[in-house]
């Protein structure tokens, strides 16, 4: 088959029969237009084949725009740099959920509403006890978030917009409480209840680090860095976990179950698990003298090793989030007076070498957001196993915004990709005594 482009459509020619098929083009607001292949199978008896969906748009969305070549990331049209500099995480949540920045009154009400949803049903605490103490906190997150649907029946009617919004608020607000409890459980300390007088980021740090034994004051520089990290991770278009949430939700599953599916997808080291993998890799490297050997391994086609925190499916020049966090990272290290932390020295040296190395330059592999967030978390004293949990906490608002958008889309259908079958053709069953 061959294709030719005209202004508003593509014409696909079947080279065997000479038959032509017209594929309409749908215009995007910015970025590449899309070929509409919805009628392709009915008309041509062929599917498209696109493992990893590198050329496939799965939905229409008004939430986030990425230009990977230019390193542009917009939430509802606002550049990520401006939001990171001038906004705060709850305001960004409002923007993602409602499409506009809030007025002062809307901001006040939203802050109040998400603050007052941060407590967990007391019985949910017992749920934590069912896990082994050494359970990975992401395993705990998948379980506890999935279990929310068993506790909040009054917000699982997905056809009711009010239910959908209450479930969305609950998910965004309760995620830090669940995350901090997963941590406290793993270290055997008592759970710390949320405090309504603190900001979203402050409250999370407070629930992580306070104990009932003494007063705990949240460091404002760390709270600011945490707030920035939350903003930068809040949404990222149709990545693996967001697509998982949409696919799970397309069958009509309740939002708590869908977000739990998203958390499971985020856990993988090629996605949100990369920030944890970065630190594990730095520990494995152990000393800057060992970096060249690891760089060689990353380049070796026969070695599955990859430099964690480098490369991105979409950003092929730089990751704008990484640029912002690079600066934050240095601010945090200065504030905490960290000048001699071997792992951070390795990270900085690795960054320098990889940015100058021909292999990484040629393949457009730059440090991504997970590289710097991992280093900041490490400097803040957050245990490695919690890194992806923090990503999940920030991404929850993106997931719920995308889920809401999907449910409200009149053209929404259950997601059901097709396949290229390469297995056995039909054959006759052989009784066991005839098999050799
Ligand atoms: N180290 C060494 N080589 C790499 C790396 C890396 N981190 N990433 C890609 N490559 C090479 C890869 O071997 C391939 O080489 P070749 O063309 O010779 O076969 C080429 O670059 C293209 O790689 P790809 O796997 O086809 O690219 P992709 O777009 O499918 O993968 C990625 C993107 C992020 C999965 C990948 O770069 C990677 O595994 N990076 C490390 C994990 C990581 O940091 N993930 C976090 C992503 S950012 C947070 C998020 O959005 O979740």
């Amino acid at each position: 088959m061959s294709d030719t482009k005209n202004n508003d459509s593509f014409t696909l020619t079947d080279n065997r029969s000479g038959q032509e098929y017209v594929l309409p083009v749908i215009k995007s607001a910015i970025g590449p237009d899309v070929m509409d292949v919805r009628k392709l199978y009915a008309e041509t008896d062929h599917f498209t084949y696109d493992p990893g969906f590198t050329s496939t748009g799965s939905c229409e969305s008004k939430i986030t725009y990425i230009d990977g070549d230019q390193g542009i990331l917009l939430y509802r049209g606002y550049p990520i740099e401006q939001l990171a500099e001038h906004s705060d995480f709850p305001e960004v949540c409002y923007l993602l959920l409602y499409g506009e920045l809030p007025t002062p009154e809307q901001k006040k009400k939203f802050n109040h509403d998400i603050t007052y949803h941060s407590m967990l049903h007391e019985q949910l605490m017992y749920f934590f006890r069912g896990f082994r103490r050494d359970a990975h906190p992401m395993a705990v997150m998948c379980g506890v978030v999935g279990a929310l649907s068993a506790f909040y029946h009054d917000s699982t009617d997905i056809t009711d917009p009010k239910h959908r919004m209450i479930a969305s608020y609950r998910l965004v607000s309760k995620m830090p409480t669940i995350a901090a409890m997963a941590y406290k459980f793993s270290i055997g300390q008592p759970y710390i209840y949320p405090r309504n007088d603190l900001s979203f980021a402050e409250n999370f740090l407070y629930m992580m680090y306070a104990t009932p034994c003494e007063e705990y004051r949240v460091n404002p520089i760390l709270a600011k860095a945490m707030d920035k990290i939350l903003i930068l991770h809040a949404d990222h278009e149709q990545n693996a976990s967001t697509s998982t949430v949409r696919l799970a939700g397309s069958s009509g599953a309740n939002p708590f179950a869908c977000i739990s599916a998203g958390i499971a997808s985020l856990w993988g080291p090629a996605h949100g698990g990369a920030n944890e993998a970065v630190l594990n890799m730095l520990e494995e490297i152990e000393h800057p003298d060992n970096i060249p050997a690891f760089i060689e391994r990353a380049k070796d086609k026969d070695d599955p090793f990859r430099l964690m925190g480098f490369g991105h499916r979409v950003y092929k020049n730089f990751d704008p989030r990484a640029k912002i966090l690079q600066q934050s990272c240095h601010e945090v290290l200065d504030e905490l007076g960290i000048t001699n932390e071997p792992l951070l020295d390795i990270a900085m040296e690795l960054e320098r070498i990889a940015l100058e190395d021909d292999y990484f330059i040629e393949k457009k592999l730059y440090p991504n957001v997970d590289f710097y967030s991992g280093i900041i978390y490490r400097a803040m004293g957050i245990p490695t196993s919690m890194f992806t949990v923090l990503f999940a906490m920030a991404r929850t608002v993106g997931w719920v915004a995308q889920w809401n958008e999907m449910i409200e889309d009149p053209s929404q259908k259950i997601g059901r990709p097709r396949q290229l079958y390469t297995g056995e053709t039909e054959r006759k069953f052989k009784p066991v005594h005839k098999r050799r």
Side-chain angles (χ1 to χ4, degrees):
M1 286 204 177
S2 62
D3 55 4
T4 44
K5 189 173 186 183
N6 68 36
N7 279 347
D8 303 301
S9 62
F10 280 76
T11 304
L12 210 64
T13 310
D14 184 334
N15 289 337
R16 297 160 305 181
S17 64
Q19 172 97 33
E20 290 192 340
Y21 303 95
V22 175
L23 300 178
V25 166
I26 306 176
K27 295 259 168 235
S28 61
I30 28 171
D33 300 331
V34 300
M35 261 186 247
D36 184 350
V37 296
R38 279 175 290 186
K39 295 201 175 121
L40 191 76
Y41 175 53
E43 289 179 359
T44 69
D45 204 25
H46 283 69
F47 299 133
T48 54
Y49 180 59
D50 185 19
F53 310 120
T54 52
S55 298
T56 298
S58 60
C59 62
E60 184 186 326
S61 183
K62 292 182 169 53
I63 302 176
T64 295
Y65 173 73
I66 302 173
D67 181 330
D69 293 327
Q70 311 272 342
I72 293 172
L73 170 58
L74 310 176
Y75 291 166
R76 302 283 191 183
Y78 294 101
I80 193 67
E81 293 80 1
Q82 292 179 23
L83 293 170
E85 179 73 23
H86 304 296
S87 191
D88 56 52
F89 182 65
E91 189 169 73
V92 167
C93 291
Y94 187 96
L95 175 68
L96 289 169
L97 288 169
Y98 292 104
E100 296 295 337
L101 287 167
T103 61
E105 296 75 39
Q106 287 167 337
K107 184 171 167 134
K108 201 169 158 204
K109 179 166 182 338
F110 185 72
N111 276 342
H112 174 274
D113 290 349
I114 58 164
T115 304
Y116 280 81
H117 273 298
S118 58
M119 239 168 40
L120 281 188
H121 192 294
E122 196 67 13
Q123 257 184 300
L124 206 56
M125 317 274 192
Y126 300 119
F127 211 83
F128 283 85
R129 295 193 195 154
F131 290 96
R132 273 173 62 130
R133 226 197 88 183
D134 59 356
H136 193 289
M138 280 299 277
V140 176
M141 294 299 285
C142 292
V144 175
V145 174
L148 290 178
S149 45
F151 286 84
Y152 299 103
H153 301 284
D154 57 340
S155 56
T156 52
D157 176 1
I158 64 159
T159 60
D160 182 339
K162 214 169 157 204
H163 274 225
R164 290 203 299 271
M165 213 28 94
I166 294 173
S168 304
Y169 280 32
R170 282 180 168 153
L171 278 156
V172 171
S173 313
K174 294 184 196 307
M175 205 59 90
T177 316
I178 298 172
M181 281 184 179
Y183 172 60
K184 289 295 195 190
F185 178 74
S186 72
I187 57 168
Q189 284 189 6
Y191 303 133
I192 300 293
Y193 286 82
R195 250 178 58 190
N196 291 349
D197 59 324
L198 297 177
S199 74
F200 195 94
E202 285 170 340
N203 189 37
F204 173 65
L205 291 175
Y206 167 76
M207 290 188 289
M208 282 283 288
Y209 294 120
T211 68
C213 316
E214 57 191 12
E215 203 194 328
Y216 175 79
R217 279 197 54 248
V218 180
N219 179 325
I221 304 247
L222 300 191
K224 179 78 200 147
M226 180 57 70
D227 192 70
K228 227 175 236 188
I229 290 177
L230 295 174
I231 293 174
L232 298 178
H233 286 83
D235 194 46
H236 213 231
E237 212 224 53
Q238 308 310 321
N239 54 78
S241 56
T242 303
S243 298
T244 303
V245 169
R246 279 188 179 255
L247 196 54
S250 75
S251 70
N254 78 67
F256 303 107
C258 296
I259 301 306
S260 171
I263 294 173
S265 167
L266 186 77
W267 194 358
H271 191 9
N275 51 18
E276 177 175 348
V278 168
L279 259 289
N280 292 338
M281 176 189 74
L282 296 177
E283 267 162 13
E284 202 187 333
I285 295 176
E286 216 182 335
H287 194 275
D289 290 350
N290 300 328
I291 292 176
F294 279 85
I295 298 264
E296 285 317 304
R297 281 187 62 195
K299 293 182 196 174
D300 182 354
K301 274 198 166 303
D302 298 325
D303 189 328
F305 174 78
R306 285 186 169 200
L307 276 193
M308 287 292 131
F310 286 79
H312 197 275
R313 166 61 64 80
V314 181
Y315 295 120
K316 296 299 178 195
N317 260 328
F318 66 92
D319 179 340
R321 304 166 302 170
K323 232 180 187 178
I324 299 166
L325 274 196
Q326 185 185 32
Q327 194 194 335
S328 259
C329 176
H330 290 288
E331 279 168 18
V332 168
L333 296 185
D334 287 348
E335 166 68 14
L336 297 174
I338 297 177
T339 49
N340 191 19
E341 164 45 288
L343 286 193
L344 301 180
D345 292 345
I346 297 171
M348 294 302 133
E349 183 61 5
L350 196 61
E351 177 198 28
R352 191 189 65 75
I353 295 177
L355 288 176
E356 288 171 1
D357 191 287
D358 284 346
Y359 173 90
F360 290 89
I361 294 169
E362 236 168 64
K363 294 203 181 293
K364 301 188 170 180
L365 300 170
Y366 298 86
N368 57 46
V369 68
D370 285 329
F371 184 73
Y372 295 107
S373 62
I375 298 170
I376 296 177
Y377 294 152
R378 167 81 184 197
M380 282 180 173
I382 293 173
T384 318
S385 61
M386 282 295 290
F387 289 7
T388 316
V389 172
L390 269 68
F391 194 157
M393 190 173 110
R395 184 55 58 83
T396 296
V397 67
W399 290 330
V400 293
Q402 301 265 355
W403 173 81
N404 275 295
E405 183 178 61
M406 180 195 64
I407 304 283
E408 284 161 21
D409 181 349
S411 66
Q412 186 263 328
K413 285 175 186 285
I414 184 167
R416 177 50 169 101
R418 303 305 299 257
Q419 62 173 9
L420 170 65
Y421 178 69
T422 53
E424 297 288 346
T425 52
E426 187 171 327
R427 49 185 172 161
K428 212 167 156 41
F429 179 81
K430 265 189 201 165
V432 69
H433 65 274
K434 290 198 173 165
R435 292 177 217 152
R436 291 282 167 266

